[in-house]
PDB file of all heavy atoms in Angstrom:
ATOM      1  N   SER A  11      11.148   0.747  -3.586  1.00 97.00           N
ATOM      2  CA  SER A  11      10.849  -0.113  -4.753  1.00 97.00           C
ATOM      3  C   SER A  11      10.837   0.565  -6.119  1.00 97.00           C
ATOM      4  O   SER A  11      11.027  -0.057  -7.204  1.00 97.00           O
ATOM      5  CB  SER A  11       9.629  -0.890  -4.526  1.00 97.00           C
ATOM      6  OG  SER A  11       8.452  -0.072  -4.547  1.00 97.00           O
ATOM      7  N   CYS A  12      10.448   1.844  -6.146  1.00 94.00           N
ATOM      8  CA  CYS A  12      10.338   2.516  -7.422  1.00 94.00           C
ATOM      9  C   CYS A  12      10.986   3.904  -7.382  1.00 94.00           C
ATOM     10  O   CYS A  12      12.253   3.953  -7.376  1.00 94.00           O
ATOM     11  CB  CYS A  12       8.844   2.626  -7.823  1.00 94.00           C
ATOM     12  SG  CYS A  12       8.604   3.187  -9.510  1.00 94.00           S
ATOM     13  N   ASP A  13      10.233   4.992  -7.313  1.00 92.00           N
ATOM     14  CA  ASP A  13      10.844   6.269  -7.343  1.00 92.00           C
ATOM     15  C   ASP A  13      10.587   7.110  -6.125  1.00 92.00           C
ATOM     16  O   ASP A  13      10.662   8.360  -6.146  1.00 92.00           O
ATOM     17  CB  ASP A  13      10.445   7.045  -8.612  1.00 92.00           C
ATOM     18  CG  ASP A  13       8.975   7.254  -8.670  1.00 92.00           C
ATOM     19  OD1 ASP A  13       8.179   6.562  -7.898  1.00 92.00           O
ATOM     20  OD2 ASP A  13       8.491   8.155  -9.360  1.00 92.00           O
ATOM     21  N   ASP A  14      10.235   6.505  -5.001  1.00 94.00           N
ATOM     22  CA  ASP A  14      10.121   7.188  -3.713  1.00 94.00           C
ATOM     23  C   ASP A  14      11.008   6.527  -2.726  1.00 94.00           C
ATOM     24  O   ASP A  14      10.948   5.295  -2.545  1.00 94.00           O
ATOM     25  CB  ASP A  14       8.621   7.122  -3.181  1.00 94.00           C
ATOM     26  CG  ASP A  14       7.656   7.911  -4.050  1.00 94.00           C
ATOM     27  OD1 ASP A  14       7.840   9.095  -4.314  1.00 94.00           O
ATOM     28  OD2 ASP A  14       6.705   7.235  -4.595  1.00 94.00           O
ATOM     29  N   HIS A 111       6.006  -5.762  -1.101  1.00 96.00           N
ATOM     30  CA  HIS A 111       5.479  -4.444  -1.308  1.00 96.00           C
ATOM     31  C   HIS A 111       4.005  -4.415  -1.488  1.00 96.00           C
ATOM     32  O   HIS A 111       3.257  -3.554  -0.958  1.00 96.00           O
ATOM     33  CB  HIS A 111       6.154  -3.848  -2.581  1.00 96.00           C
ATOM     34  CG  HIS A 111       5.648  -2.494  -2.955  1.00 96.00           C
ATOM     35  ND1 HIS A 111       6.197  -1.337  -2.383  1.00 96.00           N
ATOM     36  CD2 HIS A 111       4.774  -2.069  -3.895  1.00 96.00           C
ATOM     37  CE1 HIS A 111       5.536  -0.290  -2.902  1.00 96.00           C
ATOM     38  NE2 HIS A 111       4.690  -0.700  -3.818  1.00 96.00           N
ATOM     39  N   HIS A 115       0.940  -2.521   0.866  1.00 97.00           N
ATOM     40  CA  HIS A 115      -0.198  -1.685   0.431  1.00 97.00           C
ATOM     41  C   HIS A 115      -1.474  -2.126   1.175  1.00 97.00           C
ATOM     42  O   HIS A 115      -2.238  -1.305   1.670  1.00 97.00           O
ATOM     43  CB  HIS A 115      -0.375  -1.797  -1.053  1.00 97.00           C
ATOM     44  CG  HIS A 115       0.439  -0.782  -1.817  1.00 97.00           C
ATOM     45  ND1 HIS A 115       0.313   0.581  -1.654  1.00 97.00           N
ATOM     46  CD2 HIS A 115       1.377  -0.881  -2.790  1.00 97.00           C
ATOM     47  CE1 HIS A 115       1.171   1.235  -2.428  1.00 97.00           C
ATOM     48  NE2 HIS A 115       1.845   0.349  -3.209  1.00 97.00           N
ATOM     49  N   VAL A 140      -4.811  -1.266  -6.566  1.00 97.00           N
ATOM     50  CA  VAL A 140      -4.641  -0.627  -7.881  1.00 97.00           C
ATOM     51  C   VAL A 140      -3.529   0.358  -7.862  1.00 97.00           C
ATOM     52  O   VAL A 140      -3.518   1.323  -7.167  1.00 97.00           O
ATOM     53  CB  VAL A 140      -5.933   0.131  -8.318  1.00 97.00           C
ATOM     54  CG1 VAL A 140      -6.835  -0.818  -9.205  1.00 97.00           C
ATOM     55  CG2 VAL A 140      -6.729   0.634  -7.123  1.00 97.00           C
ATOM     56  N   SER A 141      -2.489   0.081  -8.683  1.00 91.00           N
ATOM     57  CA  SER A 141      -1.365   0.964  -8.782  1.00 91.00           C
ATOM     58  C   SER A 141      -0.898   1.065 -10.174  1.00 91.00           C
ATOM     59  O   SER A 141      -1.535   0.633 -11.093  1.00 91.00           O
ATOM     60  CB  SER A 141      -0.270   0.435  -7.829  1.00 91.00           C
ATOM     61  OG  SER A 141       0.208  -0.779  -8.385  1.00 91.00           O
ATOM     62  N   GLY A 142       0.377   1.620 -10.372  1.00 87.00           N
ATOM     63  CA  GLY A 142       0.906   1.714 -11.711  1.00 87.00           C
ATOM     64  C   GLY A 142       1.271   0.336 -12.252  1.00 87.00           C
ATOM     65  O   GLY A 142       1.429   0.174 -13.427  1.00 87.00           O
ATOM     66  N   GLY A 143       1.518  -0.607 -11.420  1.00 87.00           N
ATOM     67  CA  GLY A 143       1.881  -1.960 -11.856  1.00 87.00           C
ATOM     68  C   GLY A 143       0.932  -3.084 -11.603  1.00 87.00           C
ATOM     69  O   GLY A 143       1.169  -4.246 -12.034  1.00 87.00           O
ATOM     70  N   ASN A 144      -0.080  -2.789 -10.755  1.00 90.00           N
ATOM     71  CA  ASN A 144      -0.992  -3.911 -10.434  1.00 90.00           C
ATOM     72  C   ASN A 144      -2.437  -3.482 -10.434  1.00 90.00           C
ATOM     73  O   ASN A 144      -2.784  -2.362 -10.078  1.00 90.00           O
ATOM     74  CB  ASN A 144      -0.692  -4.364  -8.968  1.00 90.00           C
ATOM     75  CG  ASN A 144       0.626  -5.046  -8.894  1.00 90.00           C
ATOM     76  OD1 ASN A 144       0.758  -6.243  -9.215  1.00 90.00           O
ATOM     77  ND2 ASN A 144       1.621  -4.284  -8.532  1.00 90.00           N
ATOM     78  N   ALA A 167      -4.352  -0.553 -14.010  1.00 97.00           N
ATOM     79  CA  ALA A 167      -5.202   0.610 -14.221  1.00 97.00           C
ATOM     80  C   ALA A 167      -4.481   1.904 -14.230  1.00 97.00           C
ATOM     81  O   ALA A 167      -4.638   2.791 -15.080  1.00 97.00           O
ATOM     82  CB  ALA A 167      -6.266   0.616 -13.029  1.00 97.00           C
ATOM     83  N   GLY A 168      -3.475   2.056 -13.339  1.00 96.00           N
ATOM     84  CA  GLY A 168      -2.693   3.202 -13.222  1.00 96.00           C
ATOM     85  C   GLY A 168      -1.868   3.493 -14.484  1.00 96.00           C
ATOM     86  O   GLY A 168      -1.694   4.589 -14.988  1.00 96.00           O
ATOM     87  N   GLU A 169      -1.308   2.381 -15.069  1.00 94.00           N
ATOM     88  CA  GLU A 169      -0.508   2.389 -16.289  1.00 94.00           C
ATOM     89  C   GLU A 169      -1.367   2.926 -17.426  1.00 94.00           C
ATOM     90  O   GLU A 169      -0.910   3.770 -18.224  1.00 94.00           O
ATOM     91  CB  GLU A 169      -0.070   1.006 -16.471  1.00 94.00           C
ATOM     92  CG  GLU A 169       0.979   0.779 -17.542  1.00 94.00           C
ATOM     93  CD  GLU A 169       1.365  -0.737 -17.684  1.00 94.00           C
ATOM     94  OE1 GLU A 169       0.844  -1.568 -16.867  1.00 94.00           O
ATOM     95  OE2 GLU A 169       2.082  -1.075 -18.605  1.00 94.00           O
ATOM     96  N   ILE A 171      -4.092   4.749 -17.254  1.00 97.00           N
ATOM     97  CA  ILE A 171      -4.400   6.185 -17.023  1.00 97.00           C
ATOM     98  C   ILE A 171      -3.171   7.045 -17.405  1.00 97.00           C
ATOM     99  O   ILE A 171      -3.266   8.024 -18.093  1.00 97.00           O
ATOM    100  CB  ILE A 171      -4.825   6.474 -15.583  1.00 97.00           C
ATOM    101  CG1 ILE A 171      -6.144   5.760 -15.220  1.00 97.00           C
ATOM    102  CG2 ILE A 171      -4.909   7.970 -15.321  1.00 97.00           C
ATOM    103  CD1 ILE A 171      -6.563   5.906 -13.818  1.00 97.00           C
ATOM    104  N   ASP A 172      -2.019   6.603 -16.958  1.00 94.00           N
ATOM    105  CA  ASP A 172      -0.774   7.400 -17.214  1.00 94.00           C
ATOM    106  C   ASP A 172      -0.487   7.464 -18.728  1.00 94.00           C
ATOM    107  O   ASP A 172      -0.101   8.497 -19.245  1.00 94.00           O
ATOM    108  CB  ASP A 172       0.472   6.673 -16.577  1.00 94.00           C
ATOM    109  CG  ASP A 172       0.400   6.867 -14.981  1.00 94.00           C
ATOM    110  OD1 ASP A 172      -0.330   7.697 -14.520  1.00 94.00           O
ATOM    111  OD2 ASP A 172       1.146   6.230 -14.359  1.00 94.00           O
ATOM    112  N   PRO A 183       3.384  12.074 -13.203  1.00 88.00           N
ATOM    113  CA  PRO A 183       2.484  11.013 -13.558  1.00 88.00           C
ATOM    114  C   PRO A 183       1.039  11.487 -13.927  1.00 88.00           C
ATOM    115  O   PRO A 183       0.641  12.421 -13.316  1.00 88.00           O
ATOM    116  CB  PRO A 183       2.488  10.064 -12.402  1.00 88.00           C
ATOM    117  CG  PRO A 183       2.800  10.946 -11.206  1.00 88.00           C
ATOM    118  CD  PRO A 183       3.633  12.161 -11.754  1.00 88.00           C
ATOM    119  N   GLY A 184       0.446  10.785 -14.833  1.00 94.00           N
ATOM    120  CA  GLY A 184      -0.834  11.325 -15.334  1.00 94.00           C
ATOM    121  C   GLY A 184      -1.995  11.182 -14.337  1.00 94.00           C
ATOM    122  O   GLY A 184      -3.002  11.978 -14.421  1.00 94.00           O
ATOM    123  N   GLY A 185      -1.944  10.180 -13.431  1.00 97.00           N
ATOM    124  CA  GLY A 185      -3.044   9.888 -12.583  1.00 97.00           C
ATOM    125  C   GLY A 185      -3.565  11.123 -11.782  1.00 97.00           C
ATOM    126  O   GLY A 185      -4.761  11.460 -11.945  1.00 97.00           O
ATOM    127  N   PRO A 186      -2.733  11.890 -11.038  1.00 97.00           N
ATOM    128  CA  PRO A 186      -3.306  13.006 -10.334  1.00 97.00           C
ATOM    129  C   PRO A 186      -3.751  14.082 -11.253  1.00 97.00           C
ATOM    130  O   PRO A 186      -4.676  14.857 -10.926  1.00 97.00           O
ATOM    131  CB  PRO A 186      -2.028  13.526  -9.539  1.00 97.00           C
ATOM    132  CG  PRO A 186      -1.096  12.342  -9.522  1.00 97.00           C
ATOM    133  CD  PRO A 186      -1.372  11.521 -10.754  1.00 97.00           C
ATOM    134  N   ILE A 187      -3.141  14.210 -12.484  1.00 97.00           N
ATOM    135  CA  ILE A 187      -3.587  15.299 -13.450  1.00 97.00           C
ATOM    136  C   ILE A 187      -4.994  14.918 -13.977  1.00 97.00           C
ATOM    137  O   ILE A 187      -5.850  15.736 -14.055  1.00 97.00           O
ATOM    138  CB  ILE A 187      -2.617  15.359 -14.613  1.00 97.00           C
ATOM    139  CG1 ILE A 187      -1.181  15.681 -14.023  1.00 97.00           C
ATOM    140  CG2 ILE A 187      -3.003  16.452 -15.606  1.00 97.00           C
ATOM    141  CD1 ILE A 187      -0.043  15.578 -15.007  1.00 97.00           C
ATOM    142  N   ILE A 188      -5.127  13.658 -14.374  1.00 98.00           N
ATOM    143  CA  ILE A 188      -6.484  13.263 -14.922  1.00 98.00           C
ATOM    144  C   ILE A 188      -7.503  13.418 -13.799  1.00 98.00           C
ATOM    145  O   ILE A 188      -8.620  13.899 -14.080  1.00 98.00           O
ATOM    146  CB  ILE A 188      -6.413  11.711 -15.324  1.00 98.00           C
ATOM    147  CG1 ILE A 188      -5.511  11.549 -16.493  1.00 98.00           C
ATOM    148  CG2 ILE A 188      -7.776  11.143 -15.537  1.00 98.00           C
ATOM    149  CD1 ILE A 188      -5.971  12.056 -17.792  1.00 98.00           C
ATOM    150  N   ASP A 189      -7.198  13.073 -12.548  1.00 98.00           N
ATOM    151  CA  ASP A 189      -8.048  13.253 -11.386  1.00 98.00           C
ATOM    152  C   ASP A 189      -8.506  14.688 -11.239  1.00 98.00           C
ATOM    153  O   ASP A 189      -9.722  15.010 -11.182  1.00 98.00           O
ATOM    154  CB  ASP A 189      -7.331  12.803 -10.148  1.00 98.00           C
ATOM    155  CG  ASP A 189      -8.217  12.646  -8.948  1.00 98.00           C
ATOM    156  OD1 ASP A 189      -9.389  13.076  -8.987  1.00 98.00           O
ATOM    157  OD2 ASP A 189      -7.789  12.104  -7.891  1.00 98.00           O
ATOM    158  N   GLU A 248     -11.653   8.454 -16.693  1.00 98.00           N
ATOM    159  CA  GLU A 248     -11.655   8.069 -15.297  1.00 98.00           C
ATOM    160  C   GLU A 248     -12.939   7.231 -14.975  1.00 98.00           C
ATOM    161  O   GLU A 248     -12.877   6.185 -14.303  1.00 98.00           O
ATOM    162  CB  GLU A 248     -11.698   9.294 -14.362  1.00 98.00           C
ATOM    163  CG  GLU A 248     -11.639   8.944 -12.881  1.00 98.00           C
ATOM    164  CD  GLU A 248     -11.841  10.209 -12.078  1.00 98.00           C
ATOM    165  OE1 GLU A 248     -10.836  10.924 -11.789  1.00 98.00           O
ATOM    166  OE2 GLU A 248     -13.001  10.493 -11.618  1.00 98.00           O
ATOM    167  N   GLY A 275      -3.153   1.151  -2.837  1.00 95.00           N
ATOM    168  CA  GLY A 275      -2.287   1.452  -4.023  1.00 95.00           C
ATOM    169  C   GLY A 275      -2.453   2.861  -4.534  1.00 95.00           C
ATOM    170  O   GLY A 275      -3.470   3.567  -4.177  1.00 95.00           O
ATOM    171  N   GLY A 276      -1.597   3.296  -5.407  1.00 94.00           N
ATOM    172  CA  GLY A 276      -1.522   4.696  -5.872  1.00 94.00           C
ATOM    173  C   GLY A 276      -2.849   5.192  -6.439  1.00 94.00           C
ATOM    174  O   GLY A 276      -3.320   6.296  -6.194  1.00 94.00           O
ATOM    175  N   VAL A 277      -3.566   4.353  -7.189  1.00 97.00           N
ATOM    176  CA  VAL A 277      -4.785   4.774  -7.843  1.00 97.00           C
ATOM    177  C   VAL A 277      -5.931   4.942  -6.760  1.00 97.00           C
ATOM    178  O   VAL A 277      -6.952   5.608  -7.102  1.00 97.00           O
ATOM    179  CB  VAL A 277      -5.214   3.762  -8.967  1.00 97.00           C
ATOM    180  CG1 VAL A 277      -6.442   4.235  -9.675  1.00 97.00           C
ATOM    181  CG2 VAL A 277      -4.086   3.574  -9.954  1.00 97.00           C
ATOM    182  N   SER A 278      -5.681   4.446  -5.611  1.00 97.00           N
ATOM    183  CA  SER A 278      -6.772   4.637  -4.610  1.00 97.00           C
ATOM    184  C   SER A 278      -6.821   6.075  -4.091  1.00 97.00           C
ATOM    185  O   SER A 278      -7.715   6.437  -3.309  1.00 97.00           O
ATOM    186  CB  SER A 278      -6.559   3.696  -3.425  1.00 97.00           C
ATOM    187  OG  SER A 278      -5.415   3.986  -2.604  1.00 97.00           O
ATOM    188  N   ALA A 279      -5.876   6.903  -4.563  1.00 97.00           N
ATOM    189  CA  ALA A 279      -5.939   8.373  -4.288  1.00 97.00           C
ATOM    190  C   ALA A 279      -6.950   8.998  -5.248  1.00 97.00           C
ATOM    191  O   ALA A 279      -7.398  10.098  -4.923  1.00 97.00           O
ATOM    192  CB  ALA A 279      -4.568   8.972  -4.561  1.00 97.00           C
ATOM    193  N   ASN A 280      -7.407   8.271  -6.220  1.00 98.00           N
ATOM    194  CA  ASN A 280      -8.355   8.891  -7.151  1.00 98.00           C
ATOM    195  C   ASN A 280      -9.730   9.242  -6.582  1.00 98.00           C
ATOM    196  O   ASN A 280     -10.389   8.327  -6.003  1.00 98.00           O
ATOM    197  CB  ASN A 280      -8.475   7.884  -8.419  1.00 98.00           C
ATOM    198  CG  ASN A 280      -9.400   8.513  -9.414  1.00 98.00           C
ATOM    199  OD1 ASN A 280     -10.592   8.226  -9.463  1.00 98.00           O
ATOM    200  ND2 ASN A 280      -8.902   9.375 -10.292  1.00 98.00           N
ATOM    201  N   ASN A 281     -10.130  10.460  -6.822  1.00 98.00           N
ATOM    202  CA  ASN A 281     -11.408  10.896  -6.155  1.00 98.00           C
ATOM    203  C   ASN A 281     -12.645  10.206  -6.753  1.00 98.00           C
ATOM    204  O   ASN A 281     -13.535   9.861  -6.024  1.00 98.00           O
ATOM    205  CB  ASN A 281     -11.574  12.396  -6.305  1.00 98.00           C
ATOM    206  CG  ASN A 281     -10.674  13.077  -5.326  1.00 98.00           C
ATOM    207  OD1 ASN A 281     -10.920  13.088  -4.156  1.00 98.00           O
ATOM    208  ND2 ASN A 281      -9.570  13.618  -5.761  1.00 98.00           N
ATOM    209  N   PHE A 303      -4.658   9.781   2.209  1.00 91.00           N
ATOM    210  CA  PHE A 303      -3.940   9.980   0.975  1.00 91.00           C
ATOM    211  C   PHE A 303      -2.427   9.604   1.073  1.00 91.00           C
ATOM    212  O   PHE A 303      -1.787   9.095   0.185  1.00 91.00           O
ATOM    213  CB  PHE A 303      -4.083  11.463   0.576  1.00 91.00           C
ATOM    214  CG  PHE A 303      -5.389  11.759  -0.123  1.00 91.00           C
ATOM    215  CD1 PHE A 303      -6.420  12.400   0.541  1.00 91.00           C
ATOM    216  CD2 PHE A 303      -5.634  11.283  -1.397  1.00 91.00           C
ATOM    217  CE1 PHE A 303      -7.630  12.639  -0.058  1.00 91.00           C
ATOM    218  CE2 PHE A 303      -6.855  11.469  -2.000  1.00 91.00           C
ATOM    219  CZ  PHE A 303      -7.831  12.180  -1.385  1.00 91.00           C
ATOM    220  N   THR A 306      -1.550   6.027   0.180  1.00 93.00           N
ATOM    221  CA  THR A 306      -1.980   5.468  -1.085  1.00 93.00           C
ATOM    222  C   THR A 306      -0.793   5.170  -1.995  1.00 93.00           C
ATOM    223  O   THR A 306      -0.611   4.005  -2.393  1.00 93.00           O
ATOM    224  CB  THR A 306      -2.981   6.351  -1.820  1.00 93.00           C
ATOM    225  OG1 THR A 306      -2.332   7.672  -1.967  1.00 93.00           O
ATOM    226  CG2 THR A 306      -4.270   6.593  -1.110  1.00 93.00           C
ATOM    227  N   THR A 307       0.068   6.090  -2.227  1.00 90.00           N
ATOM    228  CA  THR A 307       1.223   5.938  -3.073  1.00 90.00           C
ATOM    229  C   THR A 307       2.357   5.317  -2.169  1.00 90.00           C
ATOM    230  O   THR A 307       2.108   5.045  -0.960  1.00 90.00           O
ATOM    231  CB  THR A 307       1.686   7.216  -3.713  1.00 90.00           C
ATOM    232  OG1 THR A 307       1.736   8.231  -2.761  1.00 90.00           O
ATOM    233  CG2 THR A 307       0.823   7.614  -4.822  1.00 90.00           C
ATOM    234  N   ASP A 308       3.445   5.003  -2.783  1.00 93.00           N
ATOM    235  CA  ASP A 308       4.490   4.268  -2.041  1.00 93.00           C
ATOM    236  C   ASP A 308       5.007   4.975  -0.793  1.00 93.00           C
ATOM    237  O   ASP A 308       5.246   6.165  -0.847  1.00 93.00           O
ATOM    238  CB  ASP A 308       5.691   3.974  -2.967  1.00 93.00           C
ATOM    239  CG  ASP A 308       5.320   2.967  -4.055  1.00 93.00           C
ATOM    240  OD1 ASP A 308       4.236   2.427  -4.005  1.00 93.00           O
ATOM    241  OD2 ASP A 308       6.041   2.920  -5.079  1.00 93.00           O
TER     242      ASP A 308
HETATM  243  O1  KG4 B 401       1.265   2.568  -5.813  1.00 85.87           O
HETATM  244  P1  KG4 B 401       2.025   3.528  -6.635  1.00 85.87           P
HETATM  245  O2  KG4 B 401       2.531   4.813  -6.014  1.00 85.87           O
HETATM  246  O3  KG4 B 401       3.261   2.923  -7.383  1.00 85.87           O
HETATM  247  C1  KG4 B 401       3.260   1.641  -7.928  1.00 85.87           C
HETATM  248  O4  KG4 B 401       2.830   1.527  -9.122  1.00 85.87           O
HETATM  249  O5  KG4 B 401       3.635   0.727  -7.184  1.00 85.87           O
HETATM  250  O6  KG4 B 401       0.978   3.942  -7.899  1.00 85.87           O
HETATM  251  C2  KG4 B 401       1.404   4.845  -8.870  1.00 85.87           C
HETATM  252  C3  KG4 B 401       0.192   5.000  -9.803  1.00 85.87           C
HETATM  253  C4  KG4 B 401       0.521   5.812 -11.016  1.00 85.87           C
HETATM  254  O7  KG4 B 401      -0.037   5.131 -12.111  1.00 85.87           O
HETATM  255  C5  KG4 B 401      -0.237   7.093 -10.734  1.00 85.87           C
HETATM  256  O8  KG4 B 401      -0.653   7.818 -11.954  1.00 85.87           O
HETATM  257  C6  KG4 B 401      -1.454   6.578  -9.975  1.00 85.87           C
HETATM  258  O9  KG4 B 401      -0.900   5.648  -9.127  1.00 85.87           O
HETATM  259  N1  KG4 B 401      -2.126   7.683  -9.271  1.00 85.87           N
HETATM  260  C7  KG4 B 401      -3.394   8.053  -9.495  1.00 85.87           C
HETATM  261  C8  KG4 B 401      -3.675   9.120  -8.613  1.00 85.87           C
HETATM  262  N2  KG4 B 401      -2.540   9.347  -7.809  1.00 85.87           N
HETATM  263  C9  KG4 B 401      -1.659   8.473  -8.229  1.00 85.87           C
HETATM  264  N3  KG4 B 401      -4.229   7.607 -10.417  1.00 85.87           N
HETATM  265  C10 KG4 B 401      -5.489   8.218 -10.449  1.00 85.87           C
HETATM  266  N4  KG4 B 401      -5.848   9.265  -9.649  1.00 85.87           N
HETATM  267  C11 KG4 B 401      -4.921   9.759  -8.733  1.00 85.87           C
HETATM  268  N5  KG4 B 401      -5.292  10.759  -7.945  1.00 85.87           N
END
Side-chain angles (χ1 to χ4, degrees):
S11 64
C12 191
D13 61 341
D14 292 302
H111 179 81
H115 272 302
V140 265
S141 68
N144 291 278
E169 191 181 354
I171 295 176
D172 288 345
I187 303 170
I188 293 289
D189 190 349
E248 181 190 277
V277 182
S278 69
N280 181 266
N281 284 288
F303 281 106
T306 54
T307 46
D308 293 345

